[in-house]
Amino acid sequence: MIDFISADQATLDGLTRKDTRSGFGQGLLEVGQSNDRVVALCADLTGSLKMNAFRDTFPERFKQAGIAEANMMGVAAGLTIGGLIPFTGTFANFSTGRVYDQIRQSVAYSGKNVKICASHCGLTLGEDGATHQILEDVGMMKMLPHMTVIHTCDYEQTRNATHAVAAHDGPVYFRFGRPKVPIITGADTPFVIGKARRVMTGADVTIVTNGHLVWNSILAARQLAAEGISVDLLDMHTIKPLDESALIESVSRTHCVVSAEEHQRNGGLGESVAACLARHQPTPQRFVAVNDSFGESGTPAQLLEKYGLGPSNIVEACKEVIAVKQGLPA
Amino acid sequence: MSENTPHLPDLCTQVRRDIVRMVHGASSGHPGGSLGCTDFLVKLYFDEMLISPENWNMDGKGEDLFFLSNGHISPVWYSVLSRRGYFDVSELATFRKLNTRLQGHPATEEGLPGIRVASGSLGQGLSVACGAAQAKKLNGDDRWVYTLHGDGELQEGQIWEAALYAAHHKIDNLISFVDWNGQQIDGAVEDVMTLGDLEGKWRSFGWHVLECDGHNLGALDVAFKEARAAAGQGKPVVVLMRTDMGRGVDFMEGTHKWHGVAPNDDQLAEALGQLTTPLSDY
């Protein structure tokens, strides 16, 4: 992996950019090839979810559900009876809020081995606007007993996570996105559900992040390094179960934390981080997240900036929380 | 079934005794629809489905499956499951009580044999059954998948999403029954939210439609045979089953008022006086 602090700008600019949803599409094809119990359903968004390759390779194991997501979740629950492993595909909005009761009763409460694969999450869906930019989905899903919640940061991680999701026994909410973002993990970087990935080691402040905000956090860490501040950066791709030991280990060295995510502050990763630390190791925290508002139309970059999720926002939050730490009695 | 299987009419009466006793014992539950679907469920479990309760497992490969979509009529299902051997009838006494496997609405969480998905929030069972039926096809398993739905439940939009899906995907190993009693909690279905031409609706959604008397075991026998004969030809099958809510207890019959109300001690005694059988209570 690149040393993101010492790398020059040309190296970063030269990183291959791909969408996470394409990593899902490739991963789904691969798990379909290695496990004939894997089946897939899609609610009229096969191209958007990049499920075409699976559909064309395994037509018998692909079920078109039409624009009827509630039914799709129930069908997926039923497909597990008999030992199949269904992956549902639609936008994050239609994968969660629209079908919450179906997931709650037929999937989570019933303990069904359904993989809810949700693309186009968050603000970076872009121009379609707030109707489609769900920012509450992680909160809804992490509250459900039995549910595992995963949000990936790049193409390779999403591809690798698809294998881990298929191998995991139990319902999973698997969240990824639309835009092309730099590939920062390797094809063989291990993906272990519930184990945070350390992006860089530092001493002054912990950043806990996931999804598209991993990249923005790397950019923030570079700016901070230039000012002599070193960041301990954790990619917390699994929000539930949270890797509490990695988090506690990090803040026990840095004594302050910034959470950064493309989600509402209420119900998101930062809230899980705060709940963990409140119980085990009370620590000053700042939240980089959408603050109780809906999104709007715009380009992904414009929206991340307007809603305070850019690298400069993360830099500012780190400086703030370091100041809080320094003001505390030793 | 073995030669030791009780006479089905006696079983129906015993199941009805179980229902009113369970609901009375819990001081809550849904006797009306349970009594109305007793004959159907006894016939289904004791005379129609290929099942092995003693070897119960979630996947049910090589067996027929049943999904109760209108989960509030759990008393009748629990009674029939226990009397068919899925668990001991003594457990019926725990219905709706703390730490029971017999939750108010059916659930898998406590591991009660015979239940494959939770139901209670209405309209979800047909979708689950579609998936289970497709899994059977993918697994090369030629057994049937049965469902039961309330008529009021058909007001849920998800039912019609599933109806489209089943027809589109030619899920012809699926046989659904509708408890067509014309009653729901707030009153007559006709007054609450009319279903209009129910037979025409299912037909236009691409289903093969049958009707039967849900209280006549002979008529149910014919309906099951006709349903299986019509299935396997590219279309799902629905049987619109005419029933009376509260059937078998005269003061509960034909009214929505006993949809979700428990009898008091006197009402229990009166109900049991109308339900006599050579079989034994739990």
Side-chain angles (χ1 to χ4, degrees):
Chain A
M1 197 164 75
I2 316 171
D3 178 344
F4 290 108
I5 298 299
S6 62
D8 60 16
Q9 190 61 42
T11 303
L12 298 194
D13 292 344
L15 289 171
T16 305
R17 299 174 80 94
K18 277 187 166 183
D19 45 358
T20 49
R21 56 186 165 141
S22 287
F24 164 69
Q26 177 61 27
L28 183 64
L29 177 65
E30 291 169 6
V31 297
Q33 287 163 337
S34 61
N35 188 342
D36 63 9
R37 291 185 301 138
V38 168
V39 295
L41 304 103
C42 189
D44 196 34
L45 287 169
T46 311
S48 296
L49 269 286
K50 307 295 183 187
M51 296 169 86
N52 316 52
F54 185 96
R55 177 195 63 195
D56 296 343
T57 309
F58 307 108
E60 295 297 314
R61 287 154 56 192
F62 176 83
K63 305 298 179 190
Q64 174 60 258
I67 311 168
E69 296 83 4
N71 178 62
M72 178 169 72
M73 292 303 165
V75 171
L79 282 162
T80 68
I81 299 167
L84 302 179
I85 306 172
F87 283 66
T88 67
T90 183
F91 289 176
N93 188 30
F94 314 135
S95 293
T96 56
R98 189 176 183 92
V99 293
Y100 197 65
D101 189 43
Q102 285 75 23
I103 293 174
R104 182 176 180 274
Q105 175 171 286
S106 293
V107 177
Y109 185 40
S110 296
K112 297 304 183 206
N113 192 24
V114 173
K115 317 306 180 183
I116 301 161
C117 304
S119 180
H120 292 61
C121 68
L123 293 170
T124 52
L125 169 105
E127 294 80 354
D128 278 347
T131 53
H132 289 50
Q133 289 163 345
I134 194 154
L135 294 161
E136 305 85 36
D137 51 331
V138 167
M140 283 188 277
M141 291 296 120
K142 78 177 187 181
M143 281 197 294
L144 288 172
H146 305 322
M147 187 66 75
T148 293
V149 181
I150 292 169
H151 181 32
T152 48
C153 70
D154 73 3
Y155 172 92
E156 288 296 352
Q157 189 182 57
T158 311
R159 188 184 63 76
N160 279 313
T162 308
H163 288 264
V165 165
H168 175 79
D169 184 21
V172 176
Y173 179 60
F174 184 18
R175 181 190 208 235
F176 42 90
R178 175 181 183 232
K180 292 181 175 168
V181 293
I183 299 177
I184 53 177
T185 67
D188 53 2
T189 302
F191 185 93
V192 181
I193 293 174
K195 288 290 172 201
R197 184 177 69 90
R198 182 175 300 284
V199 182
M200 60 182 72
T201 303
D204 298 319
V205 60
T206 298
I207 299 177
V208 182
T209 185
N210 59 22
H212 298 138
L213 275 271
V214 173
W215 179 244
N216 280 1
S217 296
I218 288 170
L219 298 179
R222 283 170 61 87
Q223 289 183 36
L224 289 163
E227 300 179 38
I229 297 170
S230 77
V231 170
D232 206 52
L233 180 49
L234 291 178
D235 171 7
M236 195 66 82
H237 50 68
T238 308
I239 298 140
K240 185 187 173 189
L242 193 73
D243 188 348
E244 297 194 337
S245 60
L247 175 61
I248 293 165
E249 187 282 325
S250 177
V251 301
S252 69
R253 290 185 287 106
T254 64
H255 305 292
C256 62
V257 61
V258 168
S259 54
E261 62 190 307
E262 191 180 350
H263 189 272
Q264 298 286 355
R265 191 165 75 189
N266 290 329
L269 169 68
E271 184 190 78
S272 293
V273 167
C276 167
L277 295 178
R279 278 182 284 119
H280 299 292
Q281 181 142 345
T283 303
Q285 181 175 353
R286 286 294 178 271
F287 298 77
V288 174
V290 176
N291 186 11
D292 203 25
S293 73
F294 291 104
E296 64 183 84
S297 293
T299 67
Q302 289 170 333
L303 290 163
L304 290 178
E305 184 183 348
K306 175 165 179 177
Y307 288 85
L309 308 183
S312 63
N313 303 104
I314 299 169
V315 167
E316 190 182 340
C318 287
K319 290 180 178 173
E320 260 188 49
V321 81
I322 289 169
V324 171
K325 168 178 75 170
Q326 289 169 342
L328 290 175
Chain B
M1 290 304 297
S2 75
E3 58 193 29
N4 296 325
T5 300
H7 191 46
L8 291 194
D10 288 338
L11 259 172
C12 291
T13 303
Q14 184 58 51
V15 167
R16 287 188 163 97
R17 289 182 65 88
D18 291 347
I19 292 166
V20 292
R21 292 182 69 234
M22 290 165 72
V23 174
H24 172 265
S27 301
S28 72
H30 297 79
S34 292
L35 292 167
C37 291
T38 296
D39 306 298
F40 164 73
L41 277 164
V42 167
K43 175 71 173 158
L44 177 70
Y45 270 87
F46 284 85
D47 212 20
E48 298 294 339
M49 286 204 295
L50 180 73
I51 47 178
S52 52
E54 62 283 1
N55 299 316
W56 187 84
N57 62 78
M58 180 58 76
D59 285 348
K61 287 182 180 169
E63 292 188 37
D64 294 330
L65 305 182
F66 170 69
F67 293 95
L68 181 71
S69 192
N70 49 333
H72 57 277
I73 68 164
S74 57
V76 63
W77 198 19
Y78 294 151
S79 169
V80 169
L81 285 173
S82 70
R83 293 199 176 271
R84 186 64 178 80
Y86 283 87
F87 53 89
D88 196 274
V89 293
S90 64
E91 200 168 344
L92 296 177
T94 69
F95 174 61
R96 284 186 171 242
K97 293 177 179 166
L98 191 64
N99 299 322
T100 185
R101 299 197 294 178
L102 279 59
Q103 291 291 302
H105 293 81
T108 58
E109 184 92 351
E110 293 79 15
L112 187 67
I115 297 183
R116 292 190 164 87
V117 74
S119 59
S121 178
L122 292 170
Q124 299 189 27
L126 189 57
S127 303
V128 176
C130 284
Q134 287 189 306
K136 285 208 175 290
K137 284 177 178 275
L138 286 166
N139 287 334
D141 178 345
D142 63 0
R143 297 312 308 176
W144 303 101
V145 175
Y146 296 97
T147 67
L148 177 63
H149 309 270
D151 50 1
E153 183 190 9
L154 304 183
Q155 292 158 358
E156 291 282 5
Q158 188 182 347
I159 288 286
W160 302 101
E161 291 185 7
L164 283 176
Y165 183 91
H168 178 83
H169 287 283
K170 301 181 168 53
I171 303 177
D172 57 5
N173 53 344
L174 172 63
I175 300 173
S176 294
F177 284 76
V178 175
D179 176 22
W180 202 8
N181 61 24
Q183 304 287 331
Q184 58 189 110
I185 303 182
D186 270 1
V189 173
E190 195 66 27
D191 297 330
V192 176
M193 184 57 64
T194 185
L195 296 169
D197 177 9
L198 193 55
E199 187 269 349
K201 280 190 171 65
W202 284 103
R203 196 178 302 285
S204 72
F205 273 71
W207 288 56
H208 188 88
V209 188
L210 298 169
E211 290 185 33
C212 81
D213 176 347
H215 297 307
N216 181 318
L217 291 170
L220 280 166
D221 192 72
V222 171
F224 275 106
K225 285 187 170 64
E226 286 184 359
R228 286 192 294 263
Q233 297 173 38
K235 282 186 175 186
V237 177
V238 62
V239 182
L240 304 178
M241 186 171 66
R242 294 188 183 281
T243 60
D244 298 323
M245 188 178 271
R247 177 77 169 207
V249 176
D250 60 7
F251 60 90
M252 294 185 178
E253 271 186 29
T255 170
H256 66 275
K257 294 192 171 60
W258 287 93
H259 170 93
V261 176
N264 61 27
D265 293 349
D266 292 341
Q267 289 163 334
L268 174 69
E270 188 179 350
L272 293 179
Q274 297 172 22
L275 298 166
T276 55
T277 135
L279 304 177
S280 302
D281 287 336
Y282 63 82

